[in-house]
Amino acid sequence: MRSGVTFWHRHRVVATAACYKRHNRRFPHVLRPAPATEEMNGSSKKIAVLGATGSIGRSTLEVIAASGGRLQAWALSAHGRCEELLALAQQFRPAFVVASDEAAAEQVDWSQLPANCQLLLGTSGLDQVAAAEELDVLLAAIVGSAGLSSTWAAVQAGKTVALANKETLVLAGHLVVEAARKSGATILPVDSEHSAIFQAISAGKRQELRRIVLTASGGPFLNRTLEELANVSVEEALAHPNWEMGPKITVDSATMMNKALEIIEARWLFDLTADEISVVVHPQSIVHSMVEFVDGSVIAQLSPPDMKLPIQYALDYPDRRPGVAERLDWTAALRLDFQPPDLARFPALELGLRAARTGGSTGAVLNAANEAAVAGFLEGELRFNEIVPACAAAVDNHEFDPSPSLDALLRLDAWAREEVSRWVCT
Ligand code: NAD
Ligand code: MG
């Protein structure tokens, strides 16, 4: 039984209404256990990996390949690199492949697809697999607001979503959470910080939580001065010290906008106020985040920086299995450093806290402006130190809507991109 179980409880402890009243627990809506694999009659879990050719997608396929058949790549999608999608289809033999960019799909000889593998095209193809009856878990690994539509379709259909695509919650957190509450959909975090919080938070009750502490590596420019930040190149911004990720999130890590987006993501996933979310810089990326309780205890989750662990945790939840992720070596000396973030050099963090505090339309504008500004930077049209000011200008100048509809958010998304494109041209 899925309903009534929350992340505030230990695995498989079903909370009744009486228990809810007794412990004065709030029931955050979106995080509840997916069915245990044992409950699935021995059949493998059918996973749709949307964004299969990306960094998270490829790590997910490694986890699936090493699962001994317990996880099955049931659907795969890609936008640009369709030849790679075809090769993945030949290797993993999914029931569906989705080529979301129809023009790119025309360049490929799909007659090479394995028998019984069906090709779907466009956003409607993504939405179709995300809401399909047979699907067990959607692994949402499309980058940017392009990931919203399929996650929305899955949430509406009451599915379990293992969410890497944080932009969906930044853009439309209040609507996604409300839709999940109505449909009974489950959203499990894949982002390493939120997976860490999810794993640590059950050490206490809701009213015992003081705050969560998101760790940030600080990215490649942690120790650069403001003057130096004016002249960094695209190559330098794409050279992250700890993580191998897609280009957009790598630039987000360099500006620390990634942490700003993660503040908003945490606000919605865990039903927190902005005051309950802190950020600390931890350059080694081993402590993935922490939960501080009212008595001063801090519970953390540690592991080497390897996304295969949070991916597998979400796919196997509520079980833990041996896996392919790297392990910490306790026979070697290990140093962990922590320092407060420098808000003057990384003003993106203030924007994240502001969006978490004000809610409404701010997240959607911030997200779209950032996507446009990062694309401008990658194309050499915007300097690195103009990305965050361009986002701040869009947030400041937009007409704030405290409870926007999805249509209103999409209109604001388009407006913010337009705003930044004017910035880029001046
Ligand atoms: P990536 O750029 O490596 O891969 C993106 C994937 O999305 C590709 O498969 C691409 O084909 C697909 N895609 C791109 N544009 C699309 C569009 N318009 N429509 C449909 N599909 C499209 O990105 P990534 O690093 O794997 O990140 C994916 C998501 O996971 C992002 O939201 C990111 O913030 C989040 N995330 C990534 C990491 C990481 O370590 N890479 C960690 C935490 C969260
Ligand atoms: Mg993260």
Side-chain angles (χ1 to χ4, degrees):
M1 171 170 150
R2 288 170 47 174
S3 60
V5 185
T6 84
F7 68 99
W8 298 107
H9 303 81
R10 295 196 178 281
H11 297 164
R12 299 191 204 97
V13 177
V14 177
T16 61
C19 161
Y20 167 62
K21 279 197 187 122
R22 204 165 46 241
H23 296 296
N24 186 26
R25 287 169 172 161
R26 275 206 267 163
F27 268 15
H29 27 276
V30 286
L31 294 159
R32 54 175 87 80
T37 33
E38 290 88 334
E39 291 162 20
M40 302 185 70
N41 305 324
S43 63
S44 55
K45 261 191 199 176
K46 293 186 175 68
I47 318 290
V49 188
L50 300 189
T53 51
S55 162
I56 292 287
R58 288 192 306 271
S59 293
T60 303
L61 290 172
E62 274 186 64
V63 169
I64 291 175
S67 74
R70 132 184 133 253
L71 306 170
Q72 180 196 341
W74 176 78
L76 302 175
S77 90
H79 199 63
R81 302 198 299 269
C82 289
E83 291 288 356
E84 199 177 318
L85 180 62
L86 179 59
L88 289 174
Q90 287 160 347
Q91 185 184 349
F92 286 91
R93 305 197 156 260
F96 294 95
V97 289
V98 187
S100 45
D101 180 348
E102 298 184 39
E106 279 175 20
Q107 312 302 316
V108 173
D109 177 10
W110 295 105
S111 68
Q112 306 298 311
L113 273 178
N116 304 324
C117 178
Q118 201 181 326
L119 171 69
L120 303 174
L121 296 173
T123 305
S124 61
L126 295 173
D127 297 352
Q128 187 181 325
V129 295
E133 180 74 31
E134 309 94 289
L135 177 71
D136 293 311
V137 182
L138 167 65
L139 194 296
I142 290 173
V143 62
S145 58
L148 172 68
S149 179
S150 45
T151 294
W152 182 255
V155 165
Q156 298 270 46
K159 293 290 174 186
T160 295
V161 180
L163 187 72
N165 176 254
K166 67 193 85 184
E167 292 92 345
T168 285
L169 287 180
V170 177
L171 204 173
H174 68 291
L175 296 178
V176 172
V177 159
E178 183 56 28
R181 195 182 281 135
K182 279 196 186 132
S183 70
T186 299
I187 301 177
L188 297 167
V190 167
D191 215 348
S192 54
E193 295 78 1
H194 304 72
S195 179
I197 300 293
F198 185 36
Q199 294 177 61
I201 209 164
S202 55
K205 304 185 193 88
R206 176 62 180 95
Q207 70 269 27
E208 294 165 354
L209 180 139
R210 176 149 184 266
R211 61 176 171 167
I212 64 162
V213 184
L214 297 173
T215 53
S217 70
F221 305 138
L222 176 59
N223 297 314
R224 300 282 178 107
T225 63
L226 266 178
E227 295 69 41
E228 287 169 339
L229 287 176
N231 295 312
V232 298
S233 67
V234 170
E235 291 68 34
E236 287 176 288
L238 289 179
H240 196 282
N242 303 344
W243 299 96
E244 263 183 51
M245 310 180 286
K248 192 256 176 188
I249 183 176
T250 305
V251 175
D252 287 348
S253 298
T255 57
M256 289 192 77
M257 184 62 83
N258 184 46
K259 215 49 54 183
L261 303 182
E262 290 183 355
I263 290 171
I264 306 164
E265 181 184 14
R267 182 261 171 273
W268 293 115
L269 277 176
F270 303 107
D271 195 15
L272 302 171
T273 65
D275 293 336
E276 290 173 319
I277 306 172
S278 304
V279 172
V280 67
V281 172
H282 166 51
Q284 291 92 354
S285 299
I286 285 177
V287 175
H288 294 296
S289 280
M290 307 174 258
V291 181
E292 184 182 323
F293 291 96
V294 286
D295 59 357
S297 272
V298 177
I299 310 290
Q301 186 264 331
L302 284 73
S303 54
D306 181 347
M307 287 306 295
K308 292 193 285 297
L309 180 54
I311 290 169
Q312 181 178 309
Y313 185 72
L315 293 182
D316 279 332
Y317 188 78
D319 301 320
R320 286 186 189 271
R321 308 271 183 179
V324 281
E326 265 184 73
R327 285 165 181 275
L328 285 174
D329 176 7
W330 295 108
T331 64
L334 175 65
R335 183 179 156 159
L336 303 174
D337 294 306
F338 299 94
Q339 63 192 67
D342 181 342
L343 298 181
R345 284 185 302 129
F346 296 103
L349 290 173
E350 289 284 21
L351 283 177
L353 283 170
R354 190 165 138 196
R357 193 164 284 124
T358 57
S361 51
T362 309
V365 171
L366 177 60
N367 181 64
N370 181 54
E371 284 187 30
V374 170
F377 169 66
L378 289 172
E379 282 153 27
E381 296 168 344
L382 200 76
R383 293 159 88 97
F384 179 79
N385 66 348
E386 291 175 318
I387 297 173
V388 176
C391 295
V395 168
D396 286 343
N397 294 336
H398 92 280
E399 210 165 296
F400 179 71
D401 182 342
S403 62
S405 64
L406 197 54
D407 279 350
L409 288 176
L410 295 176
R411 274 196 303 276
L412 278 165
D413 175 287
W415 173 87
R417 286 168 201 271
E418 194 58 38
E419 278 290 296
V420 172
S421 78
R422 275 206 286 276
W423 241 79
V424 164
C425 298
T426 52

